[in-house]
């Protein structure tokens, strides 16, 4: 009979999980067991605390569905998502840095031409984001696809709005021969992460700000290059120093200049005041 004690239980559990047939799974599970046991010992976890944690995990599962991923949100606010992004995208310092994908990217966004409007009637101040996509040697990347998405000025993505079925505030733009791109959208605002679930319950028991600074998301996939998932943030935006998901990076902060009605970057004109941001993305070749 195996005699289990407080002193030998970690070793026994590690031995058991080391039998995973996939060597990487064995490595992951044995390390997880060691760290979980170490955590419980360090804080002298009580049974009531253990039960509260189990119930919290259950609620996180129950509130999740194909549009809401509470466990990913938990990973985001704990800084785990961003740590994993950084460890797995150690790019050249001259390349545009990566950030979290977030839960609101969807496949199949409409393809728009240079400077075409992805806001499609959603109210807001017109924003033009333009620049080039280049490689580390400065060569233009032609035909690169920029998948772009953002929240509306109330901070909502369509999946959060019960009466919005169709995709909005998202589009795919393709770079021209000179690597140039031009996105026409609306100026984003800072917004709160979903606070009506177990992640929100925990955050509310802290002094943590539950807001993200104003940003636009980009996923840039170009054959032969490292895929880039990133955001552009508005310079001077609130919450830049306290992004609840740790996604901000200095290199991704862009000045949004106010412009009077008149000529716009794609060759059109705006009858109303608009805002302009210029940003050159730098991609690293796949090694
Ligand atoms: C977002 O920016 O869309 C986002 C990222 C992480 C958690 C929640 C929202
Ligand atoms: Fe976002």
């Amino acid at each position: 009979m195996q005699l289990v004690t407080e002193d030998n239980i970690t070793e026994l559990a590690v031995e058991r999980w080391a039998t995973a047939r996939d060597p990487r799974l064995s490595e992951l599970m044995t390390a997880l067991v060691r760290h979980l046991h170490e955590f419980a010992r360090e804080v002298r976890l009580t049974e009531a605390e253990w039960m509260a944690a189990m119930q919290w995990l259950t609620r996180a599962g129950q509130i999740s569905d194909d549009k809401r991923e509470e466990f990913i949100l938990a990973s985001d606010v704990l800084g785990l998502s961003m740590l994993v992004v950084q460890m797995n995208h150690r790019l050249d310092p001259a390349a545009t840095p990566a950030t979290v994908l977030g839960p609101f990217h969807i496949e199949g966004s409409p393809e728009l031409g240079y400077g075409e409007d992805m806001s499609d009637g959603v109210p807001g101040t017109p924003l033009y984001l333009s620049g080039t996509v280049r490689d580390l040697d400065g060569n233009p990347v032609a035909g690169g696809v920029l998948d772009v998405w953002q929240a509306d000025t109330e901070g909502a993505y369509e999946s959060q709005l019960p009466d919005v079925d169709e995709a909005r505030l998202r589009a795919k733009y393709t770079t021209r021969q000179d690597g140039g791109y031009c996105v026409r959208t609306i100026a984003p605002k800072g917004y709160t992460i979903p606070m009506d679930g177990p992640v929100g319950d925990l955050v509310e028991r802290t002094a943590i700000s539950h807001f993200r600074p104003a940003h636009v998301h980009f996923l840039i996939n170009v054959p032969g290059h490292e895929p880039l998932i990133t955001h552009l943030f508005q310079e001077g935006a609130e919450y830049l120093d306290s992004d609840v998901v740790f996604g901000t990076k200095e290199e991704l902060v862009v000045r949004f200049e106010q412009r009077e009605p008149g000529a716009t970057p794609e060759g059109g004109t705006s009858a109303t005041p608009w805002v302009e941001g210029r940003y050159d993305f730098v991609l690293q070749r796949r090694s």
Side-chain angles (χ1 to χ4, degrees):
M1 194 175 94
Q2 193 173 60
L3 291 179
V4 179
T5 68
E6 188 180 328
D7 288 335
N8 74 4
I9 186 155
T10 303
E11 209 181 309
L12 292 175
V14 165
E15 268 172 28
R16 211 172 268 186
W17 282 99
T19 64
R21 282 178 285 283
D22 176 343
R24 177 65 175 159
L25 182 62
S26 169
E27 183 182 358
L28 293 172
M29 293 309 296
T30 53
L32 180 66
V33 167
R34 266 190 272 107
H35 286 281
L36 276 177
H37 287 215
E38 185 50 37
F39 165 75
R41 287 196 171 90
E42 180 185 322
V43 300
R44 302 227 50 82
L45 194 67
T46 68
E47 286 174 298
E49 289 161 348
W50 174 86
M51 181 53 87
M54 296 305 126
Q55 287 169 344
W56 187 93
L57 290 166
T58 302
R59 287 202 308 282
Q62 285 166 340
I63 205 169
S64 296
D65 58 23
D66 57 344
K67 288 186 174 167
R68 178 159 184 173
E69 261 292 1
E70 196 74 0
F71 288 112
I72 294 183
L73 189 61
S75 160
D76 294 341
V77 302
L78 291 171
L80 177 63
S81 309
M82 200 54 196
L83 171 62
V84 173
V85 165
Q86 294 183 109
M87 287 192 305
N88 286 280
H89 299 273
R90 292 202 175 120
L91 301 176
D92 186 294
T96 304
T99 62
V100 281
L101 176 65
F104 298 113
H105 175 257
I106 53 178
E107 297 297 335
S109 288
E111 289 174 24
L112 295 185
Y114 189 84
E116 272 182 352
D117 187 1
M118 74 174 212
S119 70
D120 201 21
V122 179
T125 306
L127 165 67
Y128 285 87
L129 287 171
S130 61
T132 57
V133 180
R134 295 184 178 275
D135 66 18
L136 279 167
D137 300 320
N139 303 310
V141 173
V145 176
L146 283 72
D147 198 343
V148 188
W149 69 105
Q150 70 170 87
D152 66 19
T153 54
E154 304 291 316
Y157 287 88
E158 64 275 69
S159 64
Q160 298 172 296
L161 299 171
D163 47 346
V164 176
D165 276 339
E166 70 284 2
R168 47 169 232 172
L169 286 171
R170 55 182 78 236
K172 284 182 180 167
Y173 294 88
T174 304
T175 55
R176 301 191 304 193
Q177 274 315 107
D178 62 357
Y181 74 91
C182 181
V183 173
R184 158 56 164 103
T185 181
I186 52 172
K189 297 249 169 79
Y191 64 82
T192 171
I193 55 163
M195 287 293 287
D196 57 344
V199 170
D201 291 347
L202 261 192
V203 169
E204 251 157 21
R205 295 168 67 173
T206 71
I208 296 171
S209 154
H210 49 91
F211 286 89
R212 300 216 61 209
H215 62 271
V216 178
H217 296 259
F218 288 83
L219 190 160
I220 306 179
N221 236 329
V222 179
H225 297 74
E226 293 291 338
L228 177 66
I229 294 171
T230 197
H231 306 6
L232 295 182
F233 297 93
Q234 180 182 4
E235 188 182 273
E238 235 183 315
Y239 317 116
L240 270 179
D241 291 333
S242 61
D243 182 6
V244 61
V245 303
F246 305 91
T248 50
K249 294 206 167 267
E250 207 175 347
E251 302 93 314
L252 301 174
V253 176
V254 180
R255 178 165 303 156
F256 285 7
E257 307 269 9
Q258 304 292 327
R259 302 277 185 235
E260 294 304 317
T264 47
E266 88 295 17
T269 49
S270 176
T272 58
W274 54 285
V275 187
E276 175 166 33
R278 301 264 322 154
Y279 192 83
D280 293 334
F281 291 96
V282 179
L283 301 186
Q284 182 165 317
R285 284 206 162 270
R286 189 168 262 162
S287 38

